[in-house]
Amino acid sequence: MTSNKQTNQEYKQFAKQRETKRPILKNCIRAFLVGGLICTFGQLISTFYIHFFHFTEQNVGNPTVATLIFFTMLLTGFGLYDKLAQFAGAGSAVPVTGFGNAVISAAIEHRAEGFVLGVGGNMFKLAGSVILFGVFSAFVIALIKTLLIQWGVL
Amino acid sequence: MPAFAFHTYKSQVMHMKQIRKKAFLPALLLISLSVTGCANNEDGRSASDNPDYDLTQVSNKSEISQEIANQAKRTILKKQEVIGARAVNTSDQLLVAIEIRQMDRFRLKKLEKNITSDLEKKFKDKKVTVSTDKKIYLELDELESRLQTKDVSEQKLDKETNRIKKLISDEA
């Protein structure tokens, strides 16, 4: 058992030496820039909706998100979003476009297995956890806020 | 998306092409910004020489005097955080939209509340509604412009005011 542990450690060290180093700072800068660009584009869309349609700053969020996901759908379908994700990493995953990409790419991938078991069953394989934890954390936060308001803290 | 392409280039020629492509996005941004920048009103409402804030004054040509709205605008623009104001009043209501300086937007809710209570104190006989929403600002700007240039009847003004008020409280 002890020798096993030792070889394990040795192997880890060996692997660490051979591994190519990840350029963390560079990745961060790329993610920051591309994520920021996506958000600037989103801001442009909401400004457009405010100026030309009947949306206020309060409720312009919903159509903006829908439009962004629509554009992601097109980019994913034409295979452009993969390239963007390769370059930007988290920058393309954190905005809502990353969520759209997770849903749509899964839907495209499993299309061959049929609409019910393929697309329907696999569409939310990755995005399902996002929805689950999103809804659950929103529930917890709302609970905390309600309690704080009830107690008169907020 | 030209920004992600530069590390895949194969030759110098490709590289040149990408540089040209790279300039495209900032250029697009610049154009769209400059287009939105020059939407100034040309109907003689502008009343401030100071470029730091945006004050308009509606003449009293219309059926309902806009003197109270003008007074309200002048009062709020004395605050440092406010850089623009539009207001319209009917016989019993006062509708105000304000633009807050970017760094002061962190205290948006508080400022809105303060300004509302200030105006309520000053104009006790009117029902005061204050909004910081860009859409309300645009709508009130349009309504002001119509009051300035055309004859708007009292009923029409009431109707428009109620419509804009409904927009403020529209949540979803």
Side-chain angles (χ1 to χ4, degrees):
Chain A
M1 204 54 203
T2 44
S3 69
N4 194 6
K5 214 173 183 180
Q6 208 174 3
T7 46
N8 238 343
Q9 265 175 357
E10 271 168 21
Y11 175 73
K12 260 184 195 161
Q13 225 163 26
F14 176 72
K16 217 177 183 179
Q17 278 172 2
R18 295 300 175 100
E19 221 176 350
T20 46
K21 264 202 159 178
R22 280 180 300 144
I24 293 175
L25 189 71
K26 203 167 113 193
N27 285 349
C28 284
I29 292 170
R30 280 176 172 179
F32 178 79
L33 287 178
V34 175
L37 266 178
I38 293 173
C39 295
T40 312
F41 186 62
Q43 183 63 48
L44 235 111
I45 295 171
S46 26
T47 310
F48 170 78
Y49 279 138
I50 286 176
H51 274 261
F52 299 109
F53 294 93
H54 283 284
F55 291 108
T56 58
E57 276 176 23
Q58 295 268 327
N59 55 22
V60 78
N62 302 337
T64 306
V65 167
T67 314
L68 275 177
I69 288 184
F70 178 77
F71 281 123
T72 320
M73 180 184 77
L74 290 183
L75 287 178
T76 309
F78 293 131
L80 294 171
Y81 205 84
D82 311 16
K83 287 178 189 162
L84 178 70
Q86 246 168 39
F87 174 75
S92 64
V94 171
V96 75
T97 49
F99 175 75
N101 177 256
V103 177
I104 291 148
S105 60
I108 293 171
E109 197 180 325
H110 296 278
R111 201 182 37 173
E113 293 163 34
F115 270 114
V116 177
L117 288 176
V119 175
N122 294 298
M123 203 170 170
F124 287 102
K125 232 174 193 174
L126 210 77
S129 67
V130 178
I131 294 173
L132 171 78
F133 288 113
V135 169
F136 182 69
S137 51
F139 171 71
V140 171
I141 300 260
L143 207 68
I144 292 170
K145 193 188 169 188
T146 313
L147 285 178
L148 284 182
I149 286 172
Q150 289 282 309
W151 291 333
V153 183
L154 274 177
Chain B
M1 302 294 139
F4 64 84
F6 75 78
H7 68 140
T8 57
Y9 64 83
K10 302 234 159 50
S11 67
Q12 203 63 32
V13 184
M14 279 286 277
H15 192 204
M16 289 299 290
K17 226 178 186 176
Q18 257 125 21
I19 286 174
R20 216 179 308 149
K21 246 171 140 189
K22 234 193 263 179
F24 176 69
L25 205 78
L28 197 78
L29 260 169
L30 211 75
I31 289 168
S32 54
L33 281 178
S34 55
V35 164
T36 50
C38 48
N40 243 327
N41 44 302
E42 297 295 337
D43 46 18
R45 277 184 296 141
S46 189
S48 78
D49 309 318
N50 194 342
D52 285 343
Y53 60 80
D54 186 5
L55 174 69
T56 56
Q57 210 122 54
V58 177
S59 68
N60 297 328
K61 196 168 72 175
S62 59
E63 227 170 279
I64 294 172
S65 163
Q66 293 298 311
E67 188 47 44
I68 286 177
N70 289 338
Q71 221 176 314
K73 276 184 283 190
R74 251 175 282 140
T75 322
I76 1 180
L77 276 169
K78 282 196 187 113
K79 276 188 196 284
Q80 240 210 325
E81 296 92 342
V82 184
I83 53 171
R86 295 285 184 276
V88 161
N89 68 290
T90 64
S91 48
D92 59 339
Q93 288 193 56
L94 175 61
L95 223 64
V96 186
I98 45 177
E99 205 179 344
I100 305 284
R101 208 171 53 183
Q102 189 65 35
M103 285 321 269
D104 291 312
R105 285 183 73 89
F106 288 112
R107 298 179 293 133
L108 199 61
K109 277 269 153 64
K110 215 172 147 195
L111 280 170
E112 198 181 311
K113 215 191 258 173
N114 283 348
I115 288 167
T116 311
S117 62
D118 280 1
L119 286 179
E120 265 167 357
K121 243 176 259 161
K122 196 160 180 195
F123 306 105
K124 282 200 175 104
D125 54 334
K126 302 264 187 223
K127 212 164 164 285
V128 182
T129 316
V130 177
S131 173
T132 52
D133 202 298
K134 184 80 190 162
K135 181 71 186 176
I136 311 300
Y137 194 87
L138 290 169
E139 291 278 345
L140 281 179
D141 188 50
E142 206 197 311
L143 187 54
E144 267 190 8
S145 160
R146 253 190 294 170
L147 282 169
Q148 172 86 350
T149 52
K150 280 178 240 158
D151 277 330
V152 181
S153 68
E154 193 173 342
Q155 285 145 326
K156 186 95 198 232
L157 183 63
D158 271 338
K159 213 176 127 196
E160 284 293 297
T161 319
N162 283 333
R163 186 181 67 84
I164 293 168
K165 241 187 123 175
K166 221 180 257 170
L167 267 180
I168 295 174
S169 53
D170 192 8
E171 283 277 325

